[in-house]
Amino acid sequence: MSFTLKQPALTVSNSVFDKRSSSITCRSLFLPCLNLQNHPKITLLSLSKPLYISYFQSFNEKPVILCKAYEADKSPSPAAAEAKSEAAKNVKIGTYFATWWALNVVFNIYNKKVLNAYPYPWLTSTLSLACGSLMMLVSWATKIAEPPKIDLEFWKALFPVAVAHTIGHVAATVSMSKVAVSFTHIIKSGEPAFSVIVSRFLLGETFPPAVYLSLVPIIGGCGLAALTELNFNMTGFMGAMISNLAFVFRNIFSKKGMKGKSVSGMNYYACLSMLSLLILTPFAIAVEGPHMWVAGWKEAVSEIGPQFIWSVAVQSIFYHLYNQVSYMSLDEISPLTFSVGNTMKRISVIVSSIIIFRTPVQPINALGAAIAILGTFLYSQAKA
């Protein structure tokens, strides 16, 4: 509600009109007393509840004070404000997940297209890291993203993380160059089993019985899927397994070495990409080499055309983006929520790749995949 007082311009803090007063009301140290007998046209309000000033404006031209107020019981409710904040947070998390899954699906599809036409996983892995590193350097230079404040100790702590990340990245790419995308991700859903084994026997950690029981469907499902895979390839299978082990060590090194380092998820992954690129490049040259790359590139362009270059660019950009979003989401959600989101991400990648590439799947193979993914979900719940 609002009211206008024909008084000299003054500072107002709080005022209350009282119905019981017939002539003069004065409840404020700052507001002059109002002689209501001189203003018969002013309607008195019944104010059994206090009024709080929410708006104040003074006019220099005329001696007028304009005030707006609200009753105490109509003020913003703390519970409503908290519910609104919680809803906004859920929308933000949902946006992160949807973006993460969508970017990951696009990357896997284009990555497989590139590897089908250009079977050089070491170079493909290098291009992905190089593209992401370049994107972040440009973002820092143009102030789109705030550069991190890091020192030599940060890079020392990051080095073992980068080594494990490099191995896991290359191994997964090698796997996808040999087998179907769906099969690689089915085997990669067995990562929790590697995590428990490494943490138990190398770090001496113990887990509740429910965690160990959740490994039974994970291992059984992955084994069933592998045995019934129509296009099984040992190199592809071992690549996915090595990737699982490497990413487990990456997580362990990250928790130990990066503890206490105040770097955002986006900048952390940017630094990780740059260091991994420096580690991977000489090995990529040694394993494949420029001669093979140039010959294979010419052949791919001649068969597919300029669209091949577009596919390489898309897979390189989307690799960085989906990883960046996943690391950014870790700043907003709990590890449990992230694990559940990661499980759902694998389901979306497996289903979409089967549909797009028309991968033949036997019922028993699909059952193995479902069991393994269910085990991964149970594992995340058991560790909560």
Side-chain angles (χ1 to χ4, degrees):
M1 62 182 70
S2 63
F3 53 91
T4 302
L5 309 179
K6 294 183 179 180
Q7 297 289 341
L10 297 172
T11 302
V12 180
S13 65
N14 188 14
S15 62
V16 178
F17 294 112
D18 197 331
K19 183 179 180 180
R20 294 169 295 180
S21 175
S22 60
S23 59
I24 298 177
T25 299
C26 184
R27 293 277 186 91
S28 172
L29 295 176
F30 302 99
L31 185 65
C33 298
L34 303 177
N35 190 342
L36 301 179
Q37 290 178 341
N38 298 331
H39 302 279
K41 293 184 178 181
I42 296 179
T43 301
L44 270 179
L45 300 175
S46 176
L47 300 175
S48 59
K49 301 169 185 175
L51 282 178
Y52 296 103
I53 300 298
S54 66
Y55 177 80
F56 166 76
Q57 185 174 355
S58 174
F59 300 91
N60 294 327
E61 296 82 2
K62 297 180 181 180
V64 175
I65 299 174
L66 177 64
C67 299
K68 292 185 179 180
Y70 59 84
E71 294 181 20
D73 64 343
K74 293 184 180 180
S75 60
S77 169
E82 183 178 350
K84 186 176 180 181
S85 176
E86 185 67 22
K89 183 179 179 181
N90 291 336
V91 170
K92 186 176 182 180
I93 293 174
T95 304
Y96 269 125
F97 276 170
T99 306
W100 177 23
W101 297 341
L103 292 173
N104 193 267
V105 168
V106 173
F107 159 72
N108 278 277
I109 291 171
Y110 276 91
N111 189 47
K112 183 60 177 176
K113 287 182 177 181
V114 170
L115 291 171
N116 285 342
Y118 189 69
Y120 297 99
W122 287 79
L123 177 61
T124 304
S125 302
T126 305
L127 291 176
S128 301
L129 295 173
C131 182
S133 299
L134 179 61
M135 290 169 61
M136 287 310 301
L137 287 173
V138 172
S139 298
W140 291 340
T142 56
K143 301 300 181 181
I144 296 176
E146 186 68 24
K149 297 178 181 179
I150 51 181
D151 53 17
L152 182 60
E153 292 301 317
F154 172 85
W155 292 107
K156 288 181 180 179
L158 188 64
F159 182 77
V161 183
V163 171
H165 179 72
T166 304
I167 296 173
H169 175 40
V170 174
T173 308
V174 169
S175 175
M176 280 190 277
S177 69
K178 299 295 183 180
V179 295
V181 175
S182 56
F183 180 70
T184 296
H185 280 273
I186 291 171
I187 301 303
K188 283 181 65 63
S189 66
E191 185 177 322
F194 286 86
S195 179
V196 171
I197 293 171
V198 171
S199 298
R200 178 67 184 89
F201 293 102
L202 295 184
L203 303 179
E205 295 183 14
T206 56
F207 300 94
V211 172
Y212 295 109
L213 290 175
S214 69
L215 301 183
V216 175
I218 293 176
I219 297 173
C222 288
L224 183 62
L227 291 173
T228 57
E229 175 65 23
L230 295 176
N231 299 310
F232 181 83
N233 179 280
M234 183 56 71
T235 302
F237 174 76
M238 291 304 300
M241 295 287 280
I242 293 171
S243 178
N244 282 339
L245 185 60
F247 284 144
V248 166
F249 278 104
R250 180 192 65 179
N251 296 337
I252 292 173
F253 292 147
S254 183
K255 289 178 182 178
K256 289 184 173 293
M258 304 310 296
K259 192 174 183 180
K261 302 290 192 301
S262 57
V263 179
S264 67
M266 179 177 66
N267 285 334
Y268 178 82
Y269 182 71
C271 296
L272 182 62
S273 294
M274 294 173 190
L275 192 52
S276 295
L277 176 62
L278 294 177
I279 296 170
L280 176 58
T281 301
F283 287 96
I285 294 173
V287 174
E288 293 175 346
H291 179 72
M292 296 175 63
W293 294 340
V294 172
W297 187 276
K298 290 180 179 179
E299 183 179 352
V301 172
S302 64
E303 291 181 359
I304 301 176
Q307 186 178 355
F308 169 73
I309 301 175
W310 165 254
S311 298
V312 173
V314 170
Q315 75 90 20
S316 300
I317 293 172
F318 276 70
Y319 172 79
H320 176 80
L321 290 179
Y322 100 75
N323 277 287
Q324 180 175 291
V325 171
S326 70
Y327 273 81
M328 289 171 65
S329 66
L330 280 171
D331 292 338
E332 306 290 336
I333 61 178
S334 66
L336 173 61
T337 305
F338 183 85
S339 297
V340 174
N342 196 43
T343 302
M344 300 305 295
K345 178 207 72 175
R346 292 211 188 282
I347 295 175
S348 63
V349 171
I350 291 171
V351 173
S352 61
S353 64
I354 289 174
I355 295 173
I356 291 174
F357 294 110
R358 299 178 181 178
T359 306
V361 179
Q362 294 180 339
I364 191 68
N365 186 262
L367 177 63
I371 292 173
I373 292 172
L374 175 62
T376 303
F377 176 77
L378 295 175
Y379 168 81
S380 66
Q381 297 298 308
K383 283 203 69 178

